Amino acid sequence: MSSSSTQTPGAVMAPGAALTETARSKAPSPDKASWFLVSPLVLVLGVFLVLPILTIVTVSFWDYNEYNFFPAFILENYSYLLTSQVTLATYLKTFKFMALTWVFCAVIGFTVAYFLAFHVRSLPMQVVLFLICTVPFWTSNIIRMISWIPFLGRNGLANSALISAGVIDEPLEWLLFSDFAVVLAFVHLYCLFMVVPIFNTMMRIDRSLIEAARDAGASGFQILTNVIIPLTKPGIMIGSIFVVTLVMGDFITVRFMSGGQSASVGRVISNEIALLQYPAAAASAVVLLITVLIMIGIMMRFVDIRKEL
């Protein structure tokens, strides 16, 4: 008699098979497992990011007086903020600082990263030089910023050296407590945030592409503009996001390096908090947040940085 492969009615399933079927029925679906894995991150972001932002947005509609602020729903905080000439002038000044800082950081960051990636052949030497670039970041931002004051002052090292060399006859007043000093401090503080992502992107470039372009007769400038820069755009964009967000929200650098002669959005918010005008400060913070998000969205339209992350 030929054996049949079908299971006869009334046959008893093996214990091992029964346990396997039970485990499969109790196992979570892939979608549920994914939500379970990301739930800790969602909880952390919700408590420490989303909840504070919602609190700031809520307070921005409250009312306040000289001594206190209290729950209400008013639009005067935003109407005054969006129609004031002071706000427009402050944002223009902040955009000026941001644009100049971004240009200098991009040029310096690209140059340093290019030198480390393509001119330093030894990996240990690349690591050593990269660590040297990070040495200033081993100290506080305030210390590094204030260190420029004795260097740029009227009787500082820069003016003394220029006078001794016969380049100038009297000290330069614009070196310190000016927009120049603010931009210089910004570049010093945030340039490494441009070097790191650009260097990381350049190290991923396949060197055979450069050799192929060179064999095809391309010049060094053509290789730079047609091969290296396009492949480095994600790193440049990541560094730009860092620099833009840091400069737009900074207030202490503008305060110290301008000598109180320049203003920024961050400094306006700081002054409003000092005057206990928390709803006005919250409204300014919301407008600043929206402005920065719009700028980041515009930058991400040009380069898909998700390929780099």
Side-chain angles (χ1 to χ4, degrees):
M1 182 182 294
S2 60
S3 60
S4 176
S5 59
T6 59
Q7 187 177 359
T8 59
V12 179
M13 184 180 296
L19 292 175
T20 302
E21 291 295 330
T22 304
R24 289 179 179 176
S25 63
K26 293 183 178 181
S29 63
D31 293 338
K32 292 182 179 179
S34 300
W35 281 107
F36 180 76
L37 291 175
V38 302
S39 58
L41 179 60
V42 172
L43 180 62
V44 171
L45 292 178
V47 173
F48 295 102
L49 179 64
V50 178
L51 184 60
I53 292 177
L54 292 178
T55 303
I56 293 174
V57 173
T58 303
V59 175
S60 66
F61 292 100
W62 288 10
D63 198 359
Y64 65 95
N65 52 32
E66 293 82 359
Y67 309 102
N68 193 13
F69 63 99
F70 41 87
F73 185 81
I74 61 173
L75 299 176
E76 281 77 5
N77 295 328
Y78 287 99
S79 62
Y80 174 77
L81 181 65
L82 298 177
T83 58
S84 174
Q85 293 296 324
V86 176
T87 302
L88 178 61
T90 304
Y91 267 90
L92 290 178
K93 179 69 77 170
T94 305
F95 286 144
K96 173 186 174 181
F97 290 148
M98 181 270 296
L100 292 175
T101 303
W102 177 82
V103 169
F104 288 115
C105 285
V107 173
I108 297 173
F110 186 89
T111 304
V112 173
Y114 181 85
F115 175 78
L116 293 176
F118 295 104
H119 289 276
V120 181
R121 302 297 181 181
S122 174
L123 180 59
M125 185 57 64
Q126 286 180 340
V127 174
V128 170
L129 293 177
F130 183 79
L131 289 177
I132 292 176
C133 293
T134 64
V135 168
F137 283 77
W138 296 357
T139 59
S140 170
N141 282 4
I142 297 178
I143 299 299
R144 288 186 288 137
M145 176 185 59
I146 295 178
S147 64
W148 284 105
I149 295 179
F151 183 82
L152 299 175
R154 180 179 178 84
N155 298 320
L157 297 177
N159 278 318
S160 299
L162 292 175
I163 292 175
S164 300
V167 178
I168 57 177
D169 297 329
E170 58 183 12
L172 299 176
E173 301 290 345
W174 53 267
L175 288 181
L176 185 61
F177 300 143
S178 61
D179 292 349
F180 168 80
V182 173
V183 175
L184 179 64
F186 275 144
V187 174
H188 180 208
L189 293 176
Y190 303 135
C191 187
L192 188 64
F193 290 95
M194 188 72 76
V195 174
V196 174
I198 295 177
F199 175 71
N200 182 48
T201 307
M202 285 184 176
M203 292 299 294
R204 299 183 183 183
I205 296 177
D206 190 355
R207 298 304 190 268
S208 61
L209 297 176
I210 300 176
E211 294 297 332
R214 187 176 290 109
D215 294 339
S219 63
F221 181 76
Q222 290 175 329
I223 294 174
L224 177 66
T225 55
N226 296 315
V227 178
I228 296 178
I229 292 181
L231 295 177
T232 314
K233 283 183 179 179
I236 297 175
M237 200 56 57
I238 294 174
S240 300
I241 292 175
F242 280 126
V243 172
V244 167
T245 53
L246 290 171
V247 173
M248 290 295 292
D250 187 280
F251 68 95
I252 193 69
T253 304
V254 177
R255 175 184 175 185
F256 281 103
M257 300 306 295
S258 68
Q261 302 179 31
S262 295
S264 67
V265 180
R267 190 182 174 197
V268 170
I269 296 175
S270 176
N271 292 338
E272 289 172 341
I273 293 175
L275 295 174
L276 302 181
Q277 299 175 358
Y278 292 105
S284 300
V286 171
V287 174
L288 176 60
L289 176 62
I290 295 174
T291 304
V292 173
L293 290 177
I294 292 174
M295 296 171 63
I296 294 176
I298 294 174
M299 289 188 290
M300 294 183 65
R301 296 281 295 179
F302 294 97
V303 178
D304 187 7
I305 64 173
R306 290 176 295 179
K307 297 179 180 179
E308 186 71 14
L309 298 176

